[in-house]
Amino acid sequence: MSTIKVDVQWSPVDDDIFTTYGAAICLYKAKEKNGTYEVFYQDSRTNYENTKIIQLATNSELQFMKCVAWCPRRDSKNIFAVAQTSGRISFIGLDHNVMDDLIGKEFNVRYSRQCNYLAWNPVETHLLAQGLERGRSEPCVLIWDINSSNNNEVGERSRYSFSEGPITKPAHELGSGEASASFAWSDSKTFLVGMANKHIRLYDLRDTNKPHMNVQHRCVAGICIEPTQKQRIASFHENHIAIWDLRSFDRPINTITESKNVVKLSWCPIKNGILSVLTKESPFVKLHDIRHSVFGSDELEQASVERNVQPFGKSNLSSFCWHPRHENRLLAVLPNGNLRDMTVYERIPMEWSTNLELTMPFTKEIIHHFEEKGTEKDISTVMRKRLSQNYGLNAHSIESNMKAVKDEPTLLGLWRWILNVKVLTDAQVASSCKYHIPPATGIISLLHMDKEEVLLNSEPVGVHWKASESVKYSKRTHYRSNERIMALQLCGWVPDHPKEDFDGFIESLVRGGNPERASAIALFYLHIKRALDILSKCAMSSDQGEGKPSLQAVAMALSGFTEDPNALWRRTCGTLRYQLENPYLRAMFAFLACEEDNYEDVLNEEVMSVEDRIAFALIYLPDAKLKTYLCKLSDELTKTGDLDGIVLTGLLHNKGIELLGNFVDRTADVQTAAIAVIFSKSSNLLNDVRVTEWIDVYRDLLDRWRFWFQRAQFDNIRQTLIQERVPPQVHVACNFCGKSISPNLSVMNRLSIKIQTVFSSRGPTVRPKITCCPSCRKALPRCAVCLAHMGTSSAIGLESGSKAKLVPFQEWFSWCMTCRHGGHAGHLREWFSQHGECPVTGCVCKCASLDSVNRLKAQPLNKGIDAI
Amino acid sequence: MLLSITVLFRILSWLKTSLFLQDKYWCHFYIMFVAKSISSEHKDIIHDVSFDYHGTRMATCSSDHTVKVWDLEKGEWHCTASWKTHSGSVWRVTWAHPDFGQVLATCSFDRTAAVWEELSGDVGTKGGSSSNTWIKRTSLVDSRTSVTDVGFAPKHLGLQLATCSEDGIVRIYEAVDVMNLSNWQLQYEFNCNFKLSCLSWNTSRMHPPMIAVGSDEPSPAAGGKVQIYEYSETNRKWQKVEIIYTVTDPVHDVRFAPNMGRSYHLLAIASNDLVILTLKNLRKEGGNAGGPSRFEIRQTGSFDDHQSVVWRVSWNITGTILASSGDDGAVRLWKANYLDSWKCIAVLQSETYASDIEKTAFLAPSIASTPTPGSYR
């Protein structure tokens, strides 16, 4: 089966009909675009529901088909001229409904020879060209006229004596004693023929005796004429392709050498300058863009841009055909008859805009602009959303940052820590205690655990349960030290000895909708009665929602707590607690059930928040164990870049930066990293290369989003940390003494008295206003428009109400950088809105046109002032 | 002048970011994209589109030898300039950082690259509606073959421009005087020894200047088709630091992701597959020796969803979403989950494409995914 080459062809008339021919002729209809058709050999039950291509008809009666040509006549659809190897042409119709007098007609050649091609004339559809192998001195190109009535010349009968039917003589014959390899109709009258392996000839039907044009070249096979530009022609020989231009037909304008022999050569029928090539045993159709070969026409260059179309993956193609009318529609066929009707898409360039819009030109005409309206948030969108909620823009309120990210639990741990550190340091400053922790401290450095030896000296304290009097439990050991208490505060826990604070803390947790946590914390402080109270209260209060009634059961179970290690309670709880969903409830059972100060079950309760686990460890673990536990936890959290770990590492040292770095690696949330560093007030971090990179990247992002104000706010907050002087950018110098005329800080200090006097004369307005140089007391230049000295009011808006007086911009000193004339900004703006030239008499400077920014700025400036 | 239709596009958005640690909780997300269509009025294939630093200006270049500049005004894109730039197809267009002015660079089949600067026209002639003119500041004519890609260096390196061409040479030009854009000096030149199709600058400030180049050489014998070069301050030249041996198919595009302060670099490669690489610098902070950087290169993703060829890749501003376009006529969006594995989150396919009947498309989000069983622990 596969030895016979299967070829494919679109209908010259219908848009969705095509045929394949190899051993048999099959007719197909494409119901939709981009369909495939698979031939099943075992059982030919094709699943018609899914296929977009259906087979309409098939004809395998004709043996030894060599060439098939589809009749282009509109009135007789689906009629084919088929040439057999003997050279005989028959006409068959695949559509059974169609009755045409053509069907059944036959043309025979004298001296049976192999037929190389059949070609209908696309315009004069009664003409059919046939090319033959060499046969004595017989002509090799025959052009038949199917309309010609039977030609009854007796002499001719003997020439075409093979057939018994009516004998027809070709309308034209040419190329005696030669062989013809390929043929292409140029228009209704002219055609190109590749002959005798060495000639390409252009003939005109009106004079077939000698060729119109002739060129000697070995590329004579597969001549095809570009449909859009009739001058361009391609032909091949083995693996060489030659591209010709009829206007300079003496030599090819371009040649292409393929690695294997060419099987099929075809121009793209709609797009200009695309030549498609299929080589032997190749899985792809190569598309050469040869539009460029005209460029630099003196040289013969190989510069054609190519791409490959691979319709069937690695399977080698048998043939292909472009759709004659649909752009980029290609039909490809495998040797086994499998088909694919595909669209060859253009390369789509695309680019993201800064605010997550994707722009892509799908075709040459239309650019599509996609804007994300999705629910899935990319970090770039998230950052912008946070900015709109003032994330990191309010220097004095850490809470506002927490509010901006309240939906992102992974970030809250970081902000809670920053807040707790601040509360702690503020309290220390207020109480003027002797030990000050530096800002941005983590628990590990607070407990001196980053050093080799254990410096912590915690005293174990036996603590009684705070249960009802009837029950007596044995004491549990707590470990206490000043550092541990501070560390607990960093975790957000409140120590239980000033009872009011502790009560308030627990109350706030209950009110915050987390009674399980409140109860667990109370229990960890051994306030078991209280813990049970919280649970049962929550279970009873109806406004807590549906899920909570189970708390009553939990409270009951907890109250059955006994210390007897063999009691049924222990064994049951030990297994049942895994069925609880809330980690705090689980931890409570684990805490009660644990023996001999072995708190592993609580400490490894991973769903419980990191801070609570640390706080628990801070109460119950002895120093050495605490160190191991915290260091292990911090290493884990650092590795995963979990921001909850910041409470351990702090941001003072490399470890914290490492954690933050891993967080950035994972999430690209450079915003949080940059803001966190600044809000943690850890000034020694700012020299770290990574930190400066984050800050720079974040500022750059803000600039790209045109959030300039936000960037300025961010810079201001950063400034409080760096404490370095900002150099002035521009100042106006006095014409006479060369000193700055503006009352900037240094001048202010030196001349405070003088300026005071100047200002005092102007009454209650405190606005600095000077009409002379503060150092040499010479008058300032006059405004070119109102001729008043600079420093006076521009008087704009004075009449329109007091509101306008508050617009100092109108009175700013502005000038042209070229002619150096200027005046009140407000006056100049008015002037240049109507004039292009400088307002100063005699100055011909076209200030307005020189200012390239002027026009761009004009609109936003207007708005800005109106807004003020 | 502009035909502006708001069209809704068919989005096949399937899955999937798992929110929870357990694999069985897959969350299905839709990404909805609303498409706006602009009539480009280019007469041939558009080869490249590029946004400026702020994303408010856009430049397109085409086989019709022209470049068009588009400005965003009140949410609409307007073509404010269109001019013939080259005598061949214009492959790429790119914007310089606005600190250097409104500057574009183009490269073309006509073997040149060009630098363009915008001049604002006269004010007052017609009350502000003046046409902006772009003038050619220089034409870089060193290449003997088609210049296939052009890219401005990140801003902290000054005004530098890298070009690559089919003859395999990367050329790095610098405008020594940023005020005078007609004076570009060829500072460095290195030969990669294969036909080059694309280049990309690494934008990281923490790393020495770095360029990745890709080759669309068809023969697999040429070895790794992506090479990475780095500028060595001690040797004062560009050195090859890595060859990506795993990519042997022709490469059509390479892009470094915006660094965003990450400790590693992300490189997207458009070859027969879409390949995403992670490059981790192995050199430690302290060992700031002059030797070339060594990288631990990990392939974080390789996808053949585009069926045969991937043409272009593009990162979003944070380097968290990658768009790729390929032979299947679709643009796919990719995103990494918390485990750093990349997944396709959306497919954008224009239904209007090649359709000669209607110019509208429809929105039909179809979920094509069910979580594959068997992947659970």
mmCIF file of all heavy atoms in Angstrom, chain A residues 159-193:
data_model
loop_
_atom_site.group_PDB
_atom_site.id
_atom_site.type_symbol
_atom_site.label_atom_id
_atom_site.label_comp_id
_atom_site.label_asym_id
_atom_site.label_seq_id
_atom_site.Cartn_x
_atom_site.Cartn_y
_atom_site.Cartn_z
ATOM 1 N N ARG A 159 -3.750 6.264 -36.617
ATOM 2 C CA ARG A 159 -2.780 6.725 -35.628
ATOM 3 C C ARG A 159 -3.230 6.432 -34.204
ATOM 4 O O ARG A 159 -2.445 6.121 -33.333
ATOM 5 C CB ARG A 159 -2.564 8.231 -35.779
ATOM 6 C CG ARG A 159 -1.293 8.567 -36.523
ATOM 7 C CD ARG A 159 -1.178 10.052 -36.661
ATOM 8 N NE ARG A 159 -0.418 10.641 -35.554
ATOM 9 C CZ ARG A 159 -0.256 11.944 -35.424
ATOM 10 N NH1 ARG A 159 -0.797 12.763 -36.303
ATOM 11 N NH2 ARG A 159 0.437 12.412 -34.425
ATOM 12 N N TYR A 160 -4.492 6.598 -33.978
ATOM 13 C CA TYR A 160 -5.005 6.395 -32.626
ATOM 14 C C TYR A 160 -5.870 5.160 -32.623
ATOM 15 O O TYR A 160 -7.034 5.198 -32.291
ATOM 16 C CB TYR A 160 -5.797 7.610 -32.162
ATOM 17 C CG TYR A 160 -4.968 8.870 -32.217
ATOM 18 C CD1 TYR A 160 -5.055 9.736 -33.276
ATOM 19 C CD2 TYR A 160 -4.073 9.136 -31.177
ATOM 20 C CE1 TYR A 160 -4.276 10.856 -33.323
ATOM 21 C CE2 TYR A 160 -3.289 10.269 -31.229
ATOM 22 C CZ TYR A 160 -3.403 11.125 -32.295
ATOM 23 O OH TYR A 160 -2.638 12.230 -32.328
ATOM 24 N N SER A 161 -5.313 4.083 -33.032
ATOM 25 C CA SER A 161 -6.146 2.931 -33.327
ATOM 26 C C SER A 161 -6.334 2.006 -32.138
ATOM 27 O O SER A 161 -6.883 0.957 -32.264
ATOM 28 C CB SER A 161 -5.559 2.135 -34.486
ATOM 29 O OG SER A 161 -4.237 1.784 -34.143
ATOM 30 N N PHE A 162 -5.841 2.405 -30.991
ATOM 31 C CA PHE A 162 -5.957 1.487 -29.859
ATOM 32 C C PHE A 162 -7.369 1.382 -29.335
ATOM 33 O O PHE A 162 -7.782 0.379 -28.828
ATOM 34 C CB PHE A 162 -5.029 1.920 -28.720
ATOM 35 C CG PHE A 162 -3.600 1.721 -29.079
ATOM 36 C CD1 PHE A 162 -2.831 2.739 -29.584
ATOM 37 C CD2 PHE A 162 -3.035 0.450 -28.931
ATOM 38 C CE1 PHE A 162 -1.518 2.526 -29.912
ATOM 39 C CE2 PHE A 162 -1.718 0.257 -29.279
ATOM 40 C CZ PHE A 162 -0.958 1.289 -29.767
ATOM 41 N N SER A 163 -8.064 2.445 -29.458
ATOM 42 C CA SER A 163 -9.378 2.457 -28.834
ATOM 43 C C SER A 163 -10.444 2.187 -29.857
ATOM 44 O O SER A 163 -10.306 2.467 -31.044
ATOM 45 C CB SER A 163 -9.621 3.820 -28.183
ATOM 46 O OG SER A 163 -10.977 3.966 -27.957
ATOM 47 N N GLU A 164 -11.503 1.617 -29.348
ATOM 48 C CA GLU A 164 -12.611 1.373 -30.251
ATOM 49 C C GLU A 164 -13.557 2.555 -30.263
ATOM 50 O O GLU A 164 -14.395 2.674 -31.129
ATOM 51 C CB GLU A 164 -13.385 0.127 -29.808
ATOM 52 C CG GLU A 164 -12.574 -1.137 -29.940
ATOM 53 C CD GLU A 164 -12.740 -2.034 -28.726
ATOM 54 O OE1 GLU A 164 -13.758 -1.899 -28.020
ATOM 55 O OE2 GLU A 164 -11.818 -2.836 -28.484
ATOM 56 N N GLY A 165 -13.506 3.384 -29.334
ATOM 57 C CA GLY A 165 -14.448 4.498 -29.218
ATOM 58 C C GLY A 165 -14.140 5.552 -30.254
ATOM 59 O O GLY A 165 -13.293 5.386 -31.131
ATOM 60 N N PRO A 166 -14.866 6.627 -30.125
ATOM 61 C CA PRO A 166 -14.625 7.730 -31.058
ATOM 62 C C PRO A 166 -13.224 8.278 -30.879
ATOM 63 O O PRO A 166 -12.702 8.388 -29.769
ATOM 64 C CB PRO A 166 -15.694 8.750 -30.679
ATOM 65 C CG PRO A 166 -16.147 8.355 -29.315
ATOM 66 C CD PRO A 166 -15.911 6.912 -29.176
ATOM 67 N N ILE A 167 -12.642 8.589 -31.952
ATOM 68 C CA ILE A 167 -11.250 9.031 -31.935
ATOM 69 C C ILE A 167 -11.214 10.544 -31.897
ATOM 70 O O ILE A 167 -11.947 11.224 -32.600
ATOM 71 C CB ILE A 167 -10.527 8.538 -33.198
ATOM 72 C CG1 ILE A 167 -10.579 7.021 -33.253
ATOM 73 C CG2 ILE A 167 -9.116 9.044 -33.221
ATOM 74 C CD1 ILE A 167 -9.920 6.338 -32.109
ATOM 75 N N THR A 168 -10.357 11.064 -31.025
ATOM 76 C CA THR A 168 -10.176 12.495 -30.943
ATOM 77 C C THR A 168 -8.714 12.799 -31.194
ATOM 78 O O THR A 168 -7.827 12.068 -30.749
ATOM 79 C CB THR A 168 -10.576 13.010 -29.561
ATOM 80 O OG1 THR A 168 -11.797 12.394 -29.196
ATOM 81 C CG2 THR A 168 -10.738 14.491 -29.562
ATOM 82 N N LYS A 169 -8.516 13.863 -31.856
ATOM 83 C CA LYS A 169 -7.161 14.291 -32.133
ATOM 84 C C LYS A 169 -6.825 15.443 -31.208
ATOM 85 O O LYS A 169 -7.683 16.269 -30.921
ATOM 86 C CB LYS A 169 -7.083 14.775 -33.586
ATOM 87 C CG LYS A 169 -5.741 15.196 -34.081
ATOM 88 C CD LYS A 169 -5.882 15.728 -35.511
ATOM 89 C CE LYS A 169 -4.562 16.197 -36.055
ATOM 90 N NZ LYS A 169 -4.086 17.413 -35.416
ATOM 91 N N PRO A 170 -5.626 15.486 -30.704
ATOM 92 C CA PRO A 170 -5.284 16.617 -29.841
ATOM 93 C C PRO A 170 -5.376 17.929 -30.581
ATOM 94 O O PRO A 170 -5.120 17.980 -31.801
ATOM 95 C CB PRO A 170 -3.851 16.340 -29.412
ATOM 96 C CG PRO A 170 -3.488 15.001 -29.896
ATOM 97 C CD PRO A 170 -4.519 14.535 -30.843
ATOM 98 N N ALA A 171 -5.731 18.949 -29.877
ATOM 99 C CA ALA A 171 -5.827 20.264 -30.495
ATOM 100 C C ALA A 171 -4.440 20.800 -30.847
ATOM 101 O O ALA A 171 -4.263 21.474 -31.850
ATOM 102 C CB ALA A 171 -6.534 21.228 -29.546
ATOM 103 N N HIS A 172 -3.486 20.545 -29.984
ATOM 104 C CA HIS A 172 -2.121 20.991 -30.251
ATOM 105 C C HIS A 172 -1.172 19.871 -29.888
ATOM 106 O O HIS A 172 -1.408 19.117 -28.955
ATOM 107 C CB HIS A 172 -1.771 22.222 -29.409
ATOM 108 C CG HIS A 172 -2.685 23.375 -29.624
ATOM 109 N ND1 HIS A 172 -2.526 24.264 -30.661
ATOM 110 C CD2 HIS A 172 -3.797 23.771 -28.959
ATOM 111 C CE1 HIS A 172 -3.491 25.162 -30.614
ATOM 112 N NE2 HIS A 172 -4.296 24.876 -29.581
ATOM 113 N N GLU A 173 -0.101 19.804 -30.624
ATOM 114 C CA GLU A 173 0.945 18.827 -30.325
ATOM 115 C C GLU A 173 2.258 19.544 -30.418
ATOM 116 O O GLU A 173 2.465 20.361 -31.307
ATOM 117 C CB GLU A 173 0.937 17.686 -31.346
ATOM 118 C CG GLU A 173 -0.345 16.921 -31.399
ATOM 119 C CD GLU A 173 -0.273 15.871 -32.485
ATOM 120 O OE1 GLU A 173 0.421 16.113 -33.486
ATOM 121 O OE2 GLU A 173 -0.894 14.810 -32.319
ATOM 122 N N LEU A 174 3.169 19.240 -29.530
ATOM 123 C CA LEU A 174 4.489 19.846 -29.690
ATOM 124 C C LEU A 174 5.548 19.004 -29.013
ATOM 125 O O LEU A 174 5.238 18.065 -28.271
ATOM 126 C CB LEU A 174 4.521 21.285 -29.178
ATOM 127 C CG LEU A 174 3.867 21.588 -27.831
ATOM 128 C CD1 LEU A 174 4.930 21.679 -26.761
ATOM 129 C CD2 LEU A 174 3.111 22.892 -27.935
ATOM 130 N N GLY A 175 6.777 19.329 -29.283
ATOM 131 C CA GLY A 175 7.917 18.637 -28.673
ATOM 132 C C GLY A 175 8.113 17.251 -29.234
ATOM 133 O O GLY A 175 8.116 16.264 -28.510
ATOM 134 N N SER A 176 8.287 17.161 -30.529
ATOM 135 C CA SER A 176 8.461 15.850 -31.143
ATOM 136 C C SER A 176 9.764 15.209 -30.678
ATOM 137 O O SER A 176 10.792 15.864 -30.582
ATOM 138 C CB SER A 176 8.489 15.983 -32.665
ATOM 139 O OG SER A 176 7.264 16.490 -33.101
ATOM 140 N N GLY A 177 9.674 13.949 -30.363
ATOM 141 C CA GLY A 177 10.860 13.176 -30.038
ATOM 142 C C GLY A 177 11.498 13.560 -28.728
ATOM 143 O O GLY A 177 12.656 13.250 -28.461
ATOM 144 N N GLU A 178 10.765 14.240 -27.876
ATOM 145 C CA GLU A 178 11.342 14.627 -26.596
ATOM 146 C C GLU A 178 10.456 14.087 -25.489
ATOM 147 O O GLU A 178 9.434 13.469 -25.735
ATOM 148 C CB GLU A 178 11.466 16.146 -26.507
ATOM 149 C CG GLU A 178 12.571 16.692 -27.392
ATOM 150 C CD GLU A 178 12.653 18.190 -27.305
ATOM 151 O OE1 GLU A 178 11.718 18.854 -27.754
ATOM 152 O OE2 GLU A 178 13.642 18.687 -26.764
ATOM 153 N N ALA A 179 10.885 14.305 -24.310
ATOM 154 C CA ALA A 179 10.059 13.922 -23.172
ATOM 155 C C ALA A 179 9.697 15.187 -22.428
ATOM 156 O O ALA A 179 10.470 16.145 -22.394
ATOM 157 C CB ALA A 179 10.814 12.982 -22.242
ATOM 158 N N SER A 180 8.538 15.193 -21.835
ATOM 159 C CA SER A 180 8.129 16.390 -21.105
ATOM 160 C C SER A 180 7.956 16.036 -19.627
ATOM 161 O O SER A 180 7.305 15.047 -19.285
ATOM 162 C CB SER A 180 6.824 16.912 -21.677
ATOM 163 O OG SER A 180 6.371 17.965 -20.880
ATOM 164 N N ALA A 181 8.534 16.805 -18.787
ATOM 165 C CA ALA A 181 8.537 16.484 -17.360
ATOM 166 C C ALA A 181 7.486 17.268 -16.602
ATOM 167 O O ALA A 181 6.891 16.766 -15.653
ATOM 168 C CB ALA A 181 9.907 16.761 -16.765
ATOM 169 N N SER A 182 7.285 18.503 -16.972
ATOM 170 C CA SER A 182 6.341 19.284 -16.190
ATOM 171 C C SER A 182 5.736 20.372 -17.045
ATOM 172 O O SER A 182 6.234 20.705 -18.122
ATOM 173 C CB SER A 182 7.021 19.889 -14.965
ATOM 174 O OG SER A 182 8.024 20.779 -15.363
ATOM 175 N N PHE A 183 4.659 20.928 -16.514
ATOM 176 C CA PHE A 183 3.846 21.820 -17.319
ATOM 177 C C PHE A 183 3.131 22.774 -16.390
ATOM 178 O O PHE A 183 2.753 22.417 -15.278
ATOM 179 C CB PHE A 183 2.817 20.957 -18.074
ATOM 180 C CG PHE A 183 1.936 21.708 -19.011
ATOM 181 C CD1 PHE A 183 2.245 21.758 -20.364
ATOM 182 C CD2 PHE A 183 0.792 22.347 -18.568
ATOM 183 C CE1 PHE A 183 1.418 22.435 -21.242
ATOM 184 C CE2 PHE A 183 -0.023 23.036 -19.442
ATOM 185 C CZ PHE A 183 0.291 23.075 -20.800
ATOM 186 N N ALA A 184 2.964 23.990 -16.823
ATOM 187 C CA ALA A 184 2.158 24.908 -16.020
ATOM 188 C C ALA A 184 1.498 25.901 -16.950
ATOM 189 O O ALA A 184 2.147 26.482 -17.823
ATOM 190 C CB ALA A 184 3.022 25.638 -15.003
ATOM 191 N N TRP A 185 0.181 26.062 -16.766
ATOM 192 C CA TRP A 185 -0.520 27.085 -17.538
ATOM 193 C C TRP A 185 -0.192 28.442 -16.932
ATOM 194 O O TRP A 185 -0.325 28.620 -15.729
ATOM 195 C CB TRP A 185 -2.030 26.872 -17.461
ATOM 196 C CG TRP A 185 -2.523 25.688 -18.231
ATOM 197 C CD1 TRP A 185 -2.851 24.490 -17.735
ATOM 198 C CD2 TRP A 185 -2.764 25.632 -19.628
ATOM 199 N NE1 TRP A 185 -3.276 23.652 -18.737
ATOM 200 C CE2 TRP A 185 -3.234 24.348 -19.924
ATOM 201 C CE3 TRP A 185 -2.613 26.540 -20.685
ATOM 202 C CZ2 TRP A 185 -3.560 23.919 -21.208
ATOM 203 C CZ3 TRP A 185 -2.959 26.123 -21.966
ATOM 204 C CH2 TRP A 185 -3.421 24.821 -22.231
ATOM 205 N N SER A 186 0.214 29.346 -17.756
ATOM 206 C CA SER A 186 0.484 30.688 -17.255
ATOM 207 C C SER A 186 -0.799 31.509 -17.305
ATOM 208 O O SER A 186 -1.165 32.172 -16.362
ATOM 209 C CB SER A 186 1.572 31.337 -18.101
ATOM 210 O OG SER A 186 1.778 32.648 -17.696
ATOM 211 N N ASP A 187 -1.459 31.478 -18.438
ATOM 212 C CA ASP A 187 -2.800 32.039 -18.516
ATOM 213 C C ASP A 187 -3.552 31.204 -19.541
ATOM 214 O O ASP A 187 -3.143 30.079 -19.839
ATOM 215 C CB ASP A 187 -2.777 33.530 -18.861
ATOM 216 C CG ASP A 187 -1.955 33.813 -20.088
ATOM 217 O OD1 ASP A 187 -2.178 33.152 -21.103
ATOM 218 O OD2 ASP A 187 -1.078 34.695 -20.018
ATOM 219 N N SER A 188 -4.606 31.740 -20.091
ATOM 220 C CA SER A 188 -5.436 30.902 -20.947
ATOM 221 C C SER A 188 -4.694 30.455 -22.214
ATOM 222 O O SER A 188 -5.023 29.442 -22.799
ATOM 223 C CB SER A 188 -6.696 31.670 -21.327
ATOM 224 O OG SER A 188 -6.338 32.825 -22.035
ATOM 225 N N LYS A 189 -3.706 31.220 -22.614
ATOM 226 C CA LYS A 189 -3.088 30.909 -23.903
ATOM 227 C C LYS A 189 -1.631 30.445 -23.769
ATOM 228 O O LYS A 189 -1.126 29.766 -24.635
ATOM 229 C CB LYS A 189 -3.124 32.166 -24.801
ATOM 230 C CG LYS A 189 -4.528 32.521 -25.269
ATOM 231 C CD LYS A 189 -4.915 31.726 -26.490
ATOM 232 C CE LYS A 189 -6.256 32.166 -27.058
ATOM 233 N NZ LYS A 189 -7.336 31.243 -26.621
ATOM 234 N N THR A 190 -0.982 30.855 -22.707
ATOM 235 C CA THR A 190 0.453 30.543 -22.646
ATOM 236 C C THR A 190 0.704 29.520 -21.553
ATOM 237 O O THR A 190 -0.045 29.401 -20.590
ATOM 238 C CB THR A 190 1.275 31.810 -22.358
ATOM 239 O OG1 THR A 190 0.759 32.389 -21.165
ATOM 240 C CG2 THR A 190 1.203 32.793 -23.477
ATOM 241 N N PHE A 191 1.761 28.815 -21.729
ATOM 242 C CA PHE A 191 2.127 27.816 -20.740
ATOM 243 C C PHE A 191 3.623 27.573 -20.757
ATOM 244 O O PHE A 191 4.311 27.885 -21.722
ATOM 245 C CB PHE A 191 1.357 26.509 -20.982
ATOM 246 C CG PHE A 191 1.495 25.951 -22.366
ATOM 247 C CD1 PHE A 191 2.520 25.080 -22.682
ATOM 248 C CD2 PHE A 191 0.586 26.297 -23.354
ATOM 249 C CE1 PHE A 191 2.642 24.569 -23.965
ATOM 250 C CE2 PHE A 191 0.713 25.784 -24.628
ATOM 251 C CZ PHE A 191 1.741 24.922 -24.943
ATOM 252 N N LEU A 192 4.078 27.012 -19.670
ATOM 253 C CA LEU A 192 5.491 26.686 -19.527
ATOM 254 C C LEU A 192 5.625 25.174 -19.532
ATOM 255 O O LEU A 192 4.828 24.469 -18.920
ATOM 256 C CB LEU A 192 6.017 27.200 -18.189
ATOM 257 C CG LEU A 192 6.358 28.670 -18.117
ATOM 258 C CD1 LEU A 192 6.334 29.111 -16.677
ATOM 259 C CD2 LEU A 192 7.720 28.918 -18.719
ATOM 260 N N VAL A 193 6.639 24.700 -20.191
ATOM 261 C CA VAL A 193 6.870 23.268 -20.249
ATOM 262 C C VAL A 193 8.328 23.000 -19.904
ATOM 263 O O VAL A 193 9.237 23.713 -20.349
ATOM 264 C CB VAL A 193 6.598 22.704 -21.660
ATOM 265 C CG1 VAL A 193 6.459 21.200 -21.579
ATOM 266 C CG2 VAL A 193 5.370 23.311 -22.258
#
